[in-house]
Amino acid sequence: MFTYKPLTSEQAKSVQVAVNGPLVEVHLTDTSNLPKGDGSRKGPPAYCVLNENYKAFAERIHNFTVYEDDLWIVTAPKCGTTWTQEMVWLLDNDLDYRKASETNLIHRSIFLEFCTLVPGFDKDTVSLVEQMKRPRHIKSHLPMALLPKQLWTVRPRIVYCARNPKDMVTSFYHHYRHIQGYMGTREAFLDAILKDLVMFQPQIPHTLDFWSLRDEPNVLFIHFEEMKRNMPEVLKRASQFLGKSYTTEQLKHLEKHLSFDVMSKNDSANNSLLVDMMKSLSVTNAHDNFRFMRKGQVGSHRQELSPEYIEQLNAYIEHNLKGTNFKFFE
């Protein structure tokens, strides 16, 4: 069902971290049951760089039971996942801010494969999702091919958020260093991104697979950048997708709740609990005032990446988008 290619080059080893262990490319061998989408996606579905420990869970996740009333939030890492989770949970739960404040987001919208990525974590997050009270909100960074096969027959609601790779890589570097304990150089990490040697890469094929499904009635495809620039429109689309109706004032209040300034200080939704958890495992470089939600900006790569690297990254993006009708928002 799956094949695994160990990443053993010196360049690959230079960006591997102890919390994850050795990395492998994970490929689904039989893709015949995957959705075809609009036909815009050429070539095989996206594979994914994960860790050796993932092998023990691959079949279990592939055969995971999916329910029609599930809601799946799927993104590549550092592409507005937490923001999307909080937005969708509140819209889907009648704007119950009290319950949202009393129950941390990591429990309201569980990260399915987290335990596979951090072998030292003492809870089985796959089991935790199985035991969730329905309707379930489930988060995953897995590409289409590695997600449960029942997603494509049961057809629950799926919300996908895309982000420009230039800002993704900027944010992911800080995450890798502060949360996952990466001790290597910035240059080594950035070069490894271009070679698809970092955990959860490659990002672009991951996005293209879901872009091809954007017209499916059970899929909502949004962009991080449109959430930043036109949240009222995103909230309107998301409400319609979820079959909800809210007043203009209610949505204005939600927009304020979802603003970066408010979210970054909201300990029930800003993943501060995750940072503390990683600190307890002694695998993080995070200092006391490090925040999971660091900047949340569009275009921050211009301040952090060299012009030479941006040029390389632009070429990488252009190559991966060749022959498609998709464009990342700038």
Side-chain angles (χ1 to χ4, degrees):
M1 185 65 69
F2 297 97
T3 59
Y4 304 95
K5 177 185 175 183
L7 298 178
T8 58
S9 69
E10 289 306 311
Q11 185 176 21
K13 289 179 180 178
S14 73
V15 292
Q16 294 181 10
V17 294
V19 64
N20 303 133
L23 299 184
V24 296
E25 287 183 8
V26 183
H27 298 256
L28 179 68
T29 53
D30 181 6
T31 62
S32 60
N33 293 321
L34 292 178
K36 306 302 180 185
D38 65 359
S40 63
R41 180 78 170 96
K42 308 302 180 184
Y47 67 88
C48 195
V49 174
L50 294 163
N51 57 349
E52 286 275 358
N53 190 58
Y54 184 81
K55 295 180 183 181
F57 293 84
E59 294 285 349
R60 187 174 161 202
I61 290 175
H62 190 64
N63 294 312
F64 183 85
T65 299
V66 173
Y67 298 106
E68 189 175 0
D69 58 358
D70 284 345
L71 196 153
W72 290 70
I73 298 91
V74 182
T75 72
K78 310 312 295 181
C79 290
T81 321
T82 305
W83 204 9
T84 304
Q85 287 174 274
E86 181 75 351
M87 175 187 76
V88 170
W89 191 91
L90 282 164
L91 287 173
D92 201 36
N93 285 272
D94 302 322
L95 304 180
D96 191 344
Y97 294 101
R98 174 177 291 183
K99 185 174 181 180
S101 67
E102 293 173 348
T103 308
N104 197 282
L105 184 60
I106 69 171
H107 302 304
R108 288 183 274 128
S109 184
I110 297 178
F111 187 178
L112 177 68
E113 66 270 18
F114 182 78
C115 65
T116 76
L117 312 173
V118 184
F121 186 54
D122 63 356
K123 292 183 175 61
D124 181 340
T125 49
V126 180
S127 290
L128 290 178
V129 176
E130 290 172 336
Q131 296 160 13
M132 287 180 79
K133 182 180 178 181
R134 294 170 56 189
R136 307 178 299 185
H137 279 221
I138 304 166
K139 161 190 168 179
S140 180
H141 290 317
L142 295 174
M144 180 173 73
L146 304 189
L147 285 165
K149 62 185 179 182
Q150 288 188 9
L151 277 177
W152 320 119
T153 53
V154 177
R155 296 171 62 82
R157 300 164 297 170
I158 301 172
V159 179
Y160 187 92
C161 188
R163 189 181 189 184
N164 191 298
K166 287 178 281 190
D167 285 337
M168 180 284 297
V169 69
T170 305
S171 181
F172 201 13
Y173 168 71
H174 290 284
H175 178 98
Y176 225 62
R177 185 164 70 93
H178 289 293
I179 304 298
Q180 293 179 253
Y182 173 63
M183 302 293 288
T185 67
R186 181 190 188 91
E187 291 71 26
F189 179 87
L190 294 177
D191 287 344
I193 286 285
L194 298 175
K195 297 292 194 301
D196 299 327
L197 297 175
V198 179
M199 177 76 84
F200 280 119
Q201 299 307 296
Q203 175 203 1
I204 297 174
H206 188 299
T207 300
L208 292 176
D209 282 343
F210 280 91
W211 173 249
S212 73
L213 303 178
R214 68 195 180 281
D215 294 327
E216 296 292 328
N218 66 311
V219 175
L220 175 66
F221 191 103
I222 58 178
H223 293 258
F224 176 93
E225 294 80 6
E226 64 177 328
M227 291 175 75
K228 289 293 292 185
R229 293 172 177 147
N230 195 0
M231 181 60 93
E233 179 60 28
V234 174
L235 292 177
K236 180 181 177 181
R237 286 175 55 206
S239 297
Q240 292 173 345
F241 175 73
L242 297 170
K244 299 288 184 175
S245 179
Y246 296 108
T247 67
T248 300
E249 287 304 313
Q250 285 176 312
L251 293 181
K252 282 183 178 178
H253 182 73
L254 178 57
E255 182 181 0
K256 182 177 181 180
H257 174 85
L258 294 170
S259 68
F260 182 82
D261 286 345
V262 173
M263 278 282 290
S264 63
K265 297 171 186 174
N266 179 359
D267 286 343
S268 182
N270 63 10
N271 267 339
S272 58
L273 196 60
L274 174 62
V275 176
D276 291 341
M277 184 192 310
M278 297 300 278
K279 284 181 180 179
S280 73
L281 295 172
S282 301
V283 297
T284 174
N285 297 319
H287 46 76
D288 289 341
N289 58 358
F290 175 79
R291 293 182 178 274
F292 184 93
M293 300 185 70
R294 195 179 56 89
K295 286 187 177 180
Q297 295 178 349
V298 173
S300 62
H301 67 275
R302 298 185 185 94
Q303 288 78 50
E304 300 203 36
L305 301 178
S306 70
E308 294 77 17
Y309 185 78
I310 292 174
E311 185 177 348
Q312 293 179 60
L313 195 48
N314 282 335
Y316 169 86
I317 295 168
E318 182 179 356
H319 171 76
N320 279 277
L321 292 182
K322 188 175 181 180
T324 77
N325 61 354
F326 179 77
K327 291 185 178 180
F328 287 103
F329 285 23
E330 294 284 348

